[in-house]
Amino acid sequence: GQSFNELIALVLKDPKAAKYIRGLALQWGGKHVLEEVRAQYPELELFQSECECGDGSNAFASIPYAFNLMWKFFRAGATAFVYWNIALEADAYSTWGWKQNSLVTVDADAGVCRYNPEFYLMKHLSAFARPGARALEVRGPWAANALAFRNPDGRTAAVALNPFDTTERLEADGMDVAMPPHSLNTSTHETVLSSRSARRHPLSLYRFPRCRTFPPAAWLHWVTEIPEASAPDGCFSRPGTAAQAVQ
């Protein structure tokens, strides 16, 4: 079960069992008990061990859904997010009798593959949140569609999703960034980005003491626009379709 008391607390209240447990691996349904886990067992490492498998449509709508699941787990302190299917054939059914989403759809007869929307989500996030990165708390009007990480080299990456059909704008540190419809947008910084009150959508309020602000001219904005149907060669050779220095 997804009930905290029926499984997790039941096991961990037993000292003989608890001494062998150093972390918890929760499937997607674990999102319902994240607050309880963090409140009662803050010392335990947390994995998201399996995201929802979808229905095989591999539609763009799967990106905001998966992004929101990442958002919930990373804010709760999870150290891993595991995708369920790396690759499936187009006509594949699970052993439970339904189609599922995958990062890649393979046409074995034609010898080609299609990169699906969630592929770009995983590729974009993993390109900027490097092994050993620490998730940062994000606050503000766009916080529910934003993640931020501080990498081992000290650089900060802020990732914002625009799930809407319209171009949306973010303002931070006096910079105005346009996010294309249905896109993932990442800014990278030498240190943690500060933000000031602004119209539209002020980006993320996350601060650490004694962090200097990197000059705005070095603010790099990476954009990945998710294609409706990506071609077999649709895999980007670098993190985004465009990079621009925002002055």
Side-chain angles (χ1 to χ4, degrees):
Q2 295 176 354
S3 169
F4 173 78
N5 290 324
E6 289 176 359
L7 181 60
I8 297 172
L10 180 65
V11 173
L12 288 173
K13 75 181 183 66
D14 182 347
K16 293 181 180 180
K19 68 181 181 179
Y20 295 107
I21 298 174
R22 295 292 179 269
L24 299 173
L26 303 178
Q27 290 186 313
W28 63 269
K31 63 186 177 183
H32 301 294
V33 297
L34 287 174
E35 290 189 34
E36 291 93 332
V37 168
R38 271 293 151 247
Q40 193 155 320
Y41 306 109
E43 75 283 1
L44 294 181
E45 187 169 8
L46 179 64
F47 284 7
Q48 192 278 355
S49 61
E50 175 192 330
C51 65
E52 292 177 72
C53 56
D55 59 4
S57 63
N58 291 307
F60 175 83
S62 63
I63 287 186
Y65 196 93
F67 189 93
N68 180 256
L69 192 61
M70 289 181 174
W71 186 89
K72 284 182 167 63
F73 273 88
F74 286 140
R75 283 180 71 93
T79 58
F81 183 92
V82 181
Y83 193 84
W84 182 231
N85 295 306
I86 294 177
L88 291 174
E89 292 186 299
D91 57 352
Y93 281 80
S94 72
T95 55
W96 299 282
W98 68 79
K99 288 188 174 184
Q100 299 184 355
N101 286 359
S102 61
L103 300 183
V104 180
T105 297
V106 177
D107 185 333
D109 293 333
V112 297
C113 66
R114 181 180 71 251
Y115 297 93
N116 296 320
E118 285 170 291
F119 167 88
Y120 294 99
L121 173 62
M122 298 295 287
K123 184 180 189 297
H124 194 102
L125 266 291
S126 60
F128 293 101
R130 307 306 302 163
R134 299 183 68 87
L136 305 178
E137 183 178 3
V138 181
R139 298 175 184 173
W142 202 260
N145 283 300
L147 290 167
F149 304 90
R150 191 173 192 183
N151 286 310
D153 64 0
R155 294 183 66 83
T156 297
V159 182
L161 168 71
N162 179 9
F164 302 111
D165 296 330
T166 54
T167 296
E168 300 293 330
R169 309 194 75 87
L170 292 177
E171 294 188 15
D173 280 4
M175 296 168 289
D176 190 336
V177 179
M179 298 192 300
H182 301 165
S183 65
L184 293 162
N185 302 264
T186 296
S187 61
T188 59
H189 314 266
E190 184 71 17
T191 58
V192 176
L193 175 70
S194 63
S195 179
R196 67 181 184 180
S197 177
R199 293 177 56 194
R200 304 190 183 103
H201 309 295
L203 174 66
S204 304
L205 300 175
Y206 42 89
R207 294 178 181 272
F208 282 85
R210 298 182 299 278
C211 281
R212 63 185 178 86
T213 302
F214 198 62
W219 206 71
L220 294 180
H221 178 218
W222 291 88
V223 181
T224 296
E225 296 184 59
I226 312 302
E228 292 184 4
S230 53
D233 61 351
C235 177
F236 296 135
S237 60
R238 59 179 186 172
T241 57
Q244 62 187 50
V246 180
Q247 302 297 329

